[in-house]
Amino acid sequence: MGKNKKELLLGNEAVARGLYEAGVELVSSYPGTPSTEITESAAKYDDIYCEWAPNEKVAAEVAFGACVGGARAFCGMKHVGLNVAADPLYTASYTGVNAGFVIGVADDPGMHSSQNEQDSRHHAIASKIAMLEPADSQECLDFAKMAFELSEQFDTPVLLRLTTRIAHSRSLVTTGEREKRELKDFPKNPEKYVMMPAMAQKRHVVVEERMLALRDWAETAAINRTELNAGARIGVIAAGDCYQYAREALGVSANYLKLGMVNPLPVQLIKDFADKCERVYVIEELDDIIETHCRANGVEVIGKELFSRLGEFSQATVRKNILKAEPEYLSAKAEIPGRPPVLCAGCPHRGVFYTLKKLRCNVSGDIGCYTLGALAPLKSIDVSTCMGASVTSLHGMNKVRGSEFASKSVAVIGDSTFAHSGITGIIDIAYNKGISTVIVLDNSITGMTGHQQNPTTGYTIKGDPTAAVDLTALCKACGINRVRVFDPYDLSAAEQAIKEELAAEEPSVLISRRPCALLKQVKHKPPLVVDEDKCTGCTSCMKIGCPAISMKGEGKGRKAVIDFTQCVGCGVCSQMCRFGAICEGSGK
Amino acid sequence: MENTCKVVDTFDIMIVGVGGQGTLLASRLLGEVMMSMDYDVKVSEVHGMSQRGGSVVTYVRAGERVASPIIEKGEADLILAFEKLEAARWLPYLKPNGKLIINTQEIDPMPVITGAAKYPENIIDDIKAAGANVITVDALPLAVEAGTAKATNVVLIGVMAKAMGIPKQIWLDAVKDTVPPKFLDMNLKAFELGYSR
């Protein structure tokens, strides 16, 4: 990647390029859609040390340590990850930094791949940390670099907020060179870095003064840009993707105050802008943060009375709400069935969920591909909230509902999620004499976010072999005596293992072990085929909810058909067939 | 100057299909083609949960200046649908005079597999009756002819290339830049089969 060359980069890739150019030495992150590619892309630069941490709290502390250690450091996460990292974040605000420290956080308005759509700007306000928000890939690169300048200038961590449509959109970027930076001296300054009451009380004063200084900076910063258009009477205040939607819908018929810094917000700049407009709209996805700020400072604006707190916006949202314009479009007469996401053909989780449904288990679920086990026809998850909560929530349920409930209830948690925050739940169960049965769905990878290595896989982010957590030994060391492994492709073995561990009057951990079917190194069997003479059309094979099997034909001719483009020959469906109608294929 | 830019015409394309069909590669390749023609380009992708066998859509926009990364109802100049039910689902996003390329492949969604819903019959006739300008292609057999069912996306890129009237060499260069060298010959053959059908 040469100097001043234009490239079509994903917002996340552009952030990574910005980290490289800013001379960042260390990146530690936990994957989470839509933030994952920042760290994956950063790992492609040999000059940056990158790692996947077990969770976001660890990642943020590692990056904080690196910045105290004298080098620019970054950690990236999705919005809910910032909750996990909130503990170090709120106190790093007090200590400030040595070299620059930037936290990238990607919000997911519309919940394309998330369990909630919280607005991470609240964390910036509550932790009293500056937050920048880019509106395209070039700004992703530029703002990432600027975040480090601000971090060092104002002695503060800086948050870089993306949303899905910025993180996962490609646009043209001009790249530059990497800045050469020396390691700063290691500080021996407990007054600043040891946060116990006497010191922290003094640092809080510094934090409040810093916020005022940052607000002054925001009043004149070039990234808070006023665009006045001849003849335009209305004004729009927006940041990030919302600015782009407004530009698309309103063009030069509006004036814009395009905010690049969303915390702290300027006051005089907003007042001056509003004075030049007949009417001012605040367009912001999720919560009314800019709007509330405007009103608190006596600026009349129109915001959430028109624009929803729910989901993501588009140019159509702006046209509908401001121009009262609806598009013309074509549509088919037929009712179009939905196409929800599904567990892939050959997914090792399928056998576990089929078995849990068959045994009528109560299932405490977790965050990952396997959350899809909640959907028809497997429909085998009863509750799922956040990372690691499967294990702990099951323990709580079992404590109040007793051993009969426990004997038909399990938690399911993936290998990466287990390393993230499942282990502490296992310790709680063992320590507090629980009897819960936990199934670790070990598919040898972090699946949902697109195949990242994790502490259980034996490989680093760069693909180098490394130590792997021994799940069996770990659980035993926590005090769980019953730990066993089964293959989820073998339905009878899975059923036997789950039944026996549910019956045990003590806690147990079952490890369902089989690599993700999408992993490149997994060798597949040829697609299976249906012997039409043997198939009776009974639909038993349909109960496993494999997207590669469907029923075709009418009446007595209605038979199961296997889609050769999807089937990976896992053989779970053939175990469902009493007539031996599903056979190994020739691969031709 | 940034501050005085005006709204200009853009060429807006949507690539829709089922997670796992290779729509992402197709949109990246199209983005590269548009970039090499010196347009401002935005490509909006789908990652994460909806990729797992769900309905997926990517947006590719090109023009003198592109603001929004996404395309809304009634705005797409061209939709490339990798599956015919998805063509019907995203039809409202087509400009009333836009082009809709449909791969006639049928992939049952889970509500059809479980029997909760029916796959609509004669869906392509339905789309045509709605007034859309439709080009159909059965890309899967062509991909198999090229060497692998996985090249279906590249066959469809070939069909789209022909429909867009951009010089062929630009597409071939983009294919070379996008696919791994090991599979290049197969993909060039797949592209050719789509382009010359």
Side-chain angles (χ1 to χ4, degrees):
Chain A
M1 286 185 245
K3 197 179 182 180
N4 295 335
K5 187 173 159 252
K6 284 233 177 203
E7 294 180 59
L8 190 56
L9 294 186
L10 216 52
N12 284 342
E13 292 169 349
V15 171
R17 179 73 198 181
L19 303 181
Y20 170 78
E21 291 180 14
V24 166
E25 292 285 342
L26 178 141
V27 174
S28 181
S29 303
Y30 184 79
T33 313
S35 71
T36 311
E37 300 80 9
I38 300 174
T39 304
E40 284 185 322
S41 308
K44 291 178 184 157
Y45 297 102
D46 290 337
D47 295 318
I48 307 178
Y49 167 79
C50 283
E51 62 173 39
W52 289 128
N55 66 39
E56 295 86 353
K57 173 173 148 64
V58 173
E61 290 160 354
V62 169
F64 172 70
C67 102
V68 173
R72 287 187 167 183
F74 175 88
C75 61
M77 58 200 65
K78 67 185 294 172
H79 58 329
V80 284
L82 195 57
N83 303 336
V84 181
D87 198 359
L89 184 79
Y90 281 58
T91 304
S93 172
Y94 278 38
T95 63
V97 303
N98 182 21
F101 175 31
V102 175
I103 304 103
V105 56
D107 286 10
D108 190 15
M111 294 174 274
H112 294 270
S113 196
S114 302
Q115 65 269 42
N116 75 25
E117 55 181 343
Q118 69 184 49
D119 190 328
S120 63
R121 294 177 297 172
H122 291 294
H123 270 309
I125 295 167
S127 65
K128 301 173 194 286
I129 289 178
M131 178 180 257
L132 305 185
E133 182 169 357
D136 61 22
S137 296
Q138 184 68 58
E139 287 192 350
C140 284
L141 189 158
D142 295 342
F143 285 18
K145 287 163 79 173
M146 181 182 288
F148 282 97
E149 299 292 334
L150 281 174
S151 173
E152 288 168 6
Q153 183 185 340
F154 289 92
D155 190 8
T156 176
V158 174
L159 285 154
L160 182 67
R161 180 197 191 220
L162 310 182
T163 53
T164 300
R165 294 301 183 184
I166 300 302
H168 283 165
S169 290
R170 289 174 188 277
S171 62
L172 297 177
V173 171
T174 305
T175 57
E177 296 295 313
R178 179 168 167 90
E179 192 183 320
K180 294 234 179 331
R181 302 189 62 83
E182 298 294 322
L183 202 62
K184 291 190 166 184
D185 289 340
F186 183 76
K188 292 285 184 187
N189 186 358
E191 292 290 323
K192 182 170 186 292
Y193 292 106
V194 179
M195 285 302 95
M196 50 203 291
M199 285 83 142
Q201 284 157 7
K202 288 180 190 142
R203 289 301 301 174
H204 189 182
V205 177
V206 177
V207 170
E208 297 300 334
E209 288 168 355
R210 185 181 72 207
M211 285 312 282
L212 294 175
L214 279 161
R215 174 154 300 163
D216 284 346
W217 186 86
E219 297 287 1
T220 55
I223 60 167
N224 290 336
R225 188 176 76 216
T226 301
E227 296 176 23
L228 299 177
N229 289 304
R233 290 186 296 189
I234 65 166
V236 170
I237 304 177
D241 52 359
C242 291
Y243 163 75
Q244 302 290 10
Y245 301 142
R247 279 290 328 193
E248 187 74 36
L250 306 173
V252 293
S253 70
N255 299 316
Y256 300 91
L257 175 55
K258 194 266 187 205
L259 296 171
M261 184 185 239
V262 292
N263 187 57
L265 291 163
V267 175
Q268 196 55 45
L269 183 66
I270 289 174
K271 285 182 176 171
D272 292 347
F273 177 73
D275 284 345
K276 296 187 181 80
C277 307
E278 278 179 19
R279 250 188 345 276
V280 176
Y281 296 91
V282 172
I283 304 179
E284 56 188 329
E285 288 168 331
L286 306 177
D287 294 334
D288 49 349
I289 288 177
I290 301 171
E291 179 183 344
T292 303
H293 170 80
C294 290
R295 293 229 167 94
N297 287 286
V299 177
E300 266 314 302
V301 295
I302 303 159
K304 291 299 173 192
E305 57 266 59
L306 286 182
F307 290 91
S308 177
R309 285 179 174 78
L310 315 179
E312 65 175 2
F313 297 168
S314 71
Q315 55 270 35
T317 320
V318 180
R319 281 193 204 110
K320 180 168 177 265
N321 291 341
I322 295 183
L323 304 176
K324 313 294 171 200
E326 298 275 359
E328 276 181 40
Y329 57 86
L330 310 173
S331 53
K333 283 205 180 74
E335 201 159 308
I336 315 285
R339 191 185 298 275
V342 291
L343 293 172
C344 305
C347 177
H349 306 325
R350 179 169 283 107
V352 175
F353 286 119
Y354 168 74
T355 306
L356 293 176
K357 188 178 184 190
K358 185 179 171 189
L359 298 176
R360 300 184 177 195
C361 287
N362 308 304
V363 179
S364 178
D366 224 297
I367 307 292
C369 289
Y370 47 91
T371 317
L372 294 170
L375 302 182
L378 294 165
K379 274 193 170 174
S380 9
I381 294 178
D382 297 296
V383 58
S384 171
T385 51
C386 66
M387 297 285 285
S390 60
V391 179
T392 38
S393 297
L394 176 67
H395 177 61
M397 290 168 203
N398 286 342
K399 281 290 178 189
V400 296
R401 298 191 74 88
S403 60
E404 198 192 323
F405 179 85
S407 72
K408 50 185 190 201
S409 304
V410 302
V412 291
I413 181 166
D415 48 309
S416 187
T417 310
F418 187 75
H420 179 284
S421 48
I423 297 166
T424 42
I426 293 291
I427 294 171
D428 191 51
I429 289 169
Y431 169 55
N432 290 307
K433 302 178 184 294
I435 52 168
S436 296
T437 303
V438 174
I439 305 176
V440 180
L441 302 168
D442 179 5
N443 65 349
S444 309
I445 203 75
T446 313
M448 179 59 83
T449 44
H451 285 177
Q452 288 74 36
Q453 302 298 339
N454 69 56
T456 72
T457 66
Y459 293 94
T460 67
I461 188 170
K462 302 240 185 191
D464 298 325
T466 185
V469 171
D470 179 335
L471 290 175
T472 303
L474 174 75
C475 293
K476 289 199 165 168
C478 292
I480 307 289
N481 295 316
R482 299 180 69 100
V483 184
R484 66 195 271 187
V485 180
F486 68 89
D487 177 0
Y489 276 1
D490 184 340
L491 292 181
S492 60
E495 183 172 337
Q496 192 189 349
I498 294 169
K499 269 184 174 167
E500 285 174 13
E501 296 314 315
L502 281 171
E505 285 283 329
E506 62 174 303
S508 40
V509 173
L510 284 147
I511 300 165
S512 167
R513 184 163 285 154
R514 171 68 74 165
C516 172
L518 299 183
L519 280 172
K520 282 202 177 85
Q521 66 268 29
V522 173
K523 293 271 175 278
H524 295 305
K525 289 185 182 164
L528 303 179
V529 291
V530 176
D531 183 335
E532 284 195 20
D533 295 334
K534 289 185 182 166
C535 177
T536 64
C538 74
T539 72
S540 284
C541 56
M542 304 297 287
K543 288 182 194 156
I544 58 168
C546 177
I549 313 178
S550 54
M551 300 298 292
K552 297 284 173 194
E554 294 302 326
K556 283 198 169 176
R558 193 161 171 80
K559 311 274 184 188
V561 176
I562 294 177
D563 177 357
F564 77 95
T565 66
Q566 294 192 66
C567 178
V568 297
C570 77
V572 170
C573 59
S574 60
Q575 296 170 57
M576 302 294 297
C577 183
R578 283 170 295 150
F579 308 100
I582 301 179
C583 322
E584 283 187 18
S586 63
K588 292 279 183 316
Chain B
M1 273 297 289
E2 278 281 296
N3 291 8
T4 57
C5 58
K6 60 186 195 308
V7 177
V8 290
D9 279 344
T10 51
F11 194 74
D12 300 338
I13 302 169
M14 288 168 62
I15 300 181
V16 305
V18 179
Q21 280 193 297
T23 52
L24 214 53
L25 180 114
S27 63
R28 274 177 200 172
L29 199 143
L30 178 58
E32 292 293 329
V33 164
M34 290 306 199
M35 189 176 84
S36 67
M37 295 184 62
D38 287 334
Y39 288 116
D40 185 22
V41 182
K42 282 192 176 165
V43 180
S44 192
E45 303 182 349
V46 179
H47 299 242
M49 181 172 269
S50 48
Q51 266 183 299
R52 302 275 174 261
S55 170
V56 292
V57 54
T58 53
Y59 309 99
V60 181
R61 306 192 64 216
E64 196 180 314
R65 183 195 167 178
V66 179
S68 171
I70 59 179
I71 296 169
E72 264 289 351
K73 280 183 180 158
E75 292 182 356
D77 295 281
L78 190 154
I79 297 179
L80 175 61
F82 278 43
E83 200 270 351
K84 60 188 186 184
L85 185 65
E86 296 311 308
R89 185 187 317 284
W90 296 99
L91 174 63
Y93 286 74
L94 191 68
K95 260 184 196 159
N97 60 350
K99 257 183 216 170
L100 175 54
I101 300 171
I102 306 176
N103 179 21
T104 54
Q105 196 175 340
E106 183 172 317
I107 301 174
D108 284 353
M110 200 45 72
V112 171
I113 289 176
T114 61
K118 269 199 140 49
Y119 196 104
E121 286 175 20
N122 306 321
I123 189 72
I124 290 175
D125 291 339
D126 190 352
I127 292 168
K128 285 179 180 165
N133 178 5
V134 173
I135 300 168
T136 58
V137 56
D138 191 5
L140 181 58
L142 295 175
V144 172
E145 188 186 329
T148 171
K150 289 193 174 75
T152 304
N153 56 353
V154 181
V155 173
L156 289 167
I157 289 166
V159 178
M160 177 170 65
K162 185 75 183 225
M164 285 177 69
I166 293 171
K168 190 176 171 186
Q169 192 56 45
I170 294 181
W171 293 93
L172 293 175
D173 291 344
V175 172
K176 281 173 200 157
D177 289 345
T178 314
V179 306
K182 201 163 66 160
F183 303 116
L184 181 60
D185 286 347
M186 203 153 62
N187 280 298
L188 287 175
K189 191 175 174 194
F191 178 87
E192 197 59 53
L193 286 168
Y195 193 86
S196 60
R197 62 169 275 287

